[in-house]
Amino acid sequence: VTSEQNRVVLCYHNEPAPMKTVRYNGPTLGRRFYGCPNWPNNTCGFFRWADEMKNEMVEEDYKKLKKKYDKQQEELEES
């Protein structure tokens, strides 16, 4: 979930989810992610990889622009 104005990633509590970095050895070491700010106490379970969230935001923006473009094309054809 993202806030329209600032592109802040929100957890399921509707609170800003901070971006963190995996610090444990393994295949995801150094990978960035968003998680619930209340973790590990009273977490909502929100977890998203940062690179995947960025891709989703770009796709979301594209869909909005395409919808706006299609509407304008429709209005042009009507006039």
Side-chain angles (χ1 to χ4, degrees), residues 49-65:
W49 291 113
D51 55 347
E52 293 172 3
M53 284 294 300
K54 183 176 180 183
N55 290 341
E56 287 176 20
M57 287 182 210
V58 169
E59 287 176 24
E60 207 175 281
D61 287 346
Y62 172 79
K63 287 177 185 176
K64 287 177 186 173
L65 287 172

Side-chain angles (χ1 to χ4, degrees), residues 10-16 36-39 41-46:
L10 302 175
C11 75
Y12 300 129
H13 292 112
N14 236 7
E15 295 180 29
C36 177
N38 299 318
W39 186 85
N41 304 318
N42 194 21
T43 181
C44 62
F46 181 81

